[in-house]
Amino acid sequence: MGRPEETANGLFLDGTDGTILQRIENLDAQIQTQNIDSNQDEHDELLLARFATLALIGLGTGPSTSANRWQYTLNAPPLSSLIGDFSGDGQEELIIGTEDGRLLSLTALEGVPRFLNPVGGEISHLATLPRAGGDTPFIALTRNNDDTNPRNDDPVHWVEVRDGNGERVWGDQLPAPASALIIDSMLSPQRIQTIIVATTAGHLLAFDRNGTPQWTHQLRSPARINHLLVTRRRELTLASYSQESSAIFHTTGAGNRELSVSLVVLTADGQAHGLNWRGFEMRQQAWPQSLSAPATAVSQFQPPFVTASTEDAFLVATRG
């Protein structure tokens, strides 16, 4: 049976006061979003990864409308997406991780496939891992397996690093399904690129780019860690809650300038909250904002954007 058809509306929100900057109507509700500059013209396009197509949309400025650039048919729902030059040819590629464990690479400009690797499990998260010396980056990923099915030949959850062609470099087992993945160098005194993975049982695990464990931690009250981010103050911020449709983002202004609103949090009741770095709601700046429906997908856009805003903005797809 196919999935029930659901529609969503896209809203561009200003990162300072939550003002709606632009709307895109009638999106698919189950989507992954990524902003990319596929042709290096300093104007972002929007990648919509949904079941069962990928679509690259050119974003108009001001009152102009959006236009499809290309589409590619998928065989399974996408769970994660990534953009970067992983082959070293100067052309950006899209890396897509799917629910049935396939790792797909396409050219960003034209949507031409480069490789398709059946790595197994559900590829829940993807991240770019820089190499030493500035060479083409690695692909870091997490993949979760069904550990409740006795017929599953691989009931283990993994964090892995793969080369730009999709081949595995190293992997390590996780104690529970992965729920968040980031790459960071700010927390390390030596500024070492570190892979930080969070799990549904409240684990935090850190590895260097060679797969050597750096540190581990578990929350006193085990709970799903939904999001990880590192702020400019070199603090690791965790978000743990039951609503999987929520999201948290660190916001900055032009030139990486710190703003009074440090975090934007979207919750399952259809609200967008603006918090300062201490976690207090900035009500004097008209936060929270109502989205009229729960958010199903969010993409963060750095300035300069498709509007005249010099602050961060967000594309939010809402259910209904």
Side-chain angles (χ1 to χ4, degrees):
M1 294 182 61
R3 295 192 166 199
E5 292 186 2
E6 297 180 277
T7 60
N9 298 320
L11 305 176
F12 285 113
L13 301 182
D14 186 276
T16 303
D17 58 11
T19 303
I20 296 176
L21 302 175
Q22 186 176 344
R23 296 176 181 267
I24 299 179
E25 307 292 339
N26 298 322
L27 299 177
D28 189 293
Q30 301 297 326
I31 63 173
Q32 297 285 328
T33 62
Q34 180 93 17
N35 53 299
I36 65 175
D37 183 7
S38 62
N39 55 358
Q40 289 86 45
D41 65 352
E42 298 184 355
H43 293 283
D44 280 349
E45 293 85 39
L46 176 68
L47 173 71
L48 297 180
R50 51 193 169 182
F51 185 68
T53 60
L54 299 178
L56 189 69
I57 296 177
L59 297 173
T61 58
S64 64
T65 58
S66 304
N68 286 337
R69 297 288 180 84
W70 54 257
Q71 291 192 3
Y72 180 86
T73 301
L74 296 171
N75 294 319
L79 299 181
S80 50
S81 60
L82 193 62
I83 180 74
D85 179 10
F86 298 97
S87 59
D89 63 357
Q91 301 297 316
E92 288 193 322
E93 303 139 55
L94 301 175
I95 307 295
I96 303 295
T98 66
E99 189 178 73
D100 66 350
R102 301 183 187 209
L103 189 65
L104 169 68
S105 171
L106 306 98
T107 60
L109 186 60
E110 299 173 340
V112 176
R114 287 195 166 179
F115 68 76
L116 177 62
N117 284 17
V119 303
E122 296 181 350
I123 304 177
S124 58
H125 300 86
L126 291 167
T128 301
L129 176 62
R131 291 186 194 240
D135 294 333
T136 54
F138 291 112
I139 301 167
L141 63 84
T142 57
R143 55 186 183 94
N144 300 328
N145 288 281
D146 184 0
D147 53 11
T148 64
N149 185 354
R151 297 183 178 180
N152 192 341
D153 295 331
D154 186 17
V156 181
H157 317 291
W158 293 91
V159 56
E160 296 181 351
V161 166
R162 292 184 173 256
D163 216 332
N165 58 7
E167 296 298 319
R168 178 167 161 164
V169 177
W170 63 263
D172 206 334
Q173 297 183 12
L174 299 173
S179 56
L181 168 70
I182 61 171
I183 309 298
D184 173 72
S185 62
M186 293 289 291
L187 296 177
S188 168
Q190 296 80 26
R191 298 298 176 92
I192 297 172
Q193 294 290 344
T194 304
I195 304 164
I196 304 176
V197 184
T199 75
T200 57
H203 301 93
L204 288 168
L205 305 98
F207 305 84
D208 68 14
R209 63 162 60 92
N210 297 316
T212 304
Q214 299 298 294
W215 51 264
T216 62
H217 180 74
Q218 186 171 13
L219 301 182
R220 291 183 180 179
S221 300
R224 179 190 182 98
I225 300 174
N226 299 70
H227 296 279
L228 297 171
L229 62 87
V230 177
T231 68
R232 290 182 59 196
R233 299 172 184 270
R234 299 181 65 183
E235 299 169 332
L236 179 62
T237 301
L238 317 179
S240 179
Y241 39 76
S242 59
Q243 301 95 330
E244 294 186 23
S245 60
S246 300
I248 180 171
F249 296 92
H250 182 220
T251 63
T252 59
N256 204 30
R257 175 171 52 88
E258 188 168 3
L259 302 175
S260 57
V261 175
S262 181
L263 300 174
V264 171
V265 181
L266 305 179
T267 52
D269 59 358
Q271 297 288 312
H273 299 267
L275 312 179
N276 65 15
W277 70 275
R278 295 180 181 273
F280 294 107
E281 186 92 65
M282 298 296 289
R283 297 186 182 278
Q284 64 270 35
Q285 297 185 12
W287 293 95
Q289 291 281 334
S290 175
L291 304 179
S292 73
T296 59
V298 187
S299 187
Q300 185 172 12
F301 288 73
Q302 304 288 342
F305 182 51
V306 295
T307 71
S309 173
T310 59
E311 319 298 349
D312 281 7
F314 303 86
L315 170 67
V316 183
T318 61
R319 191 178 305 282

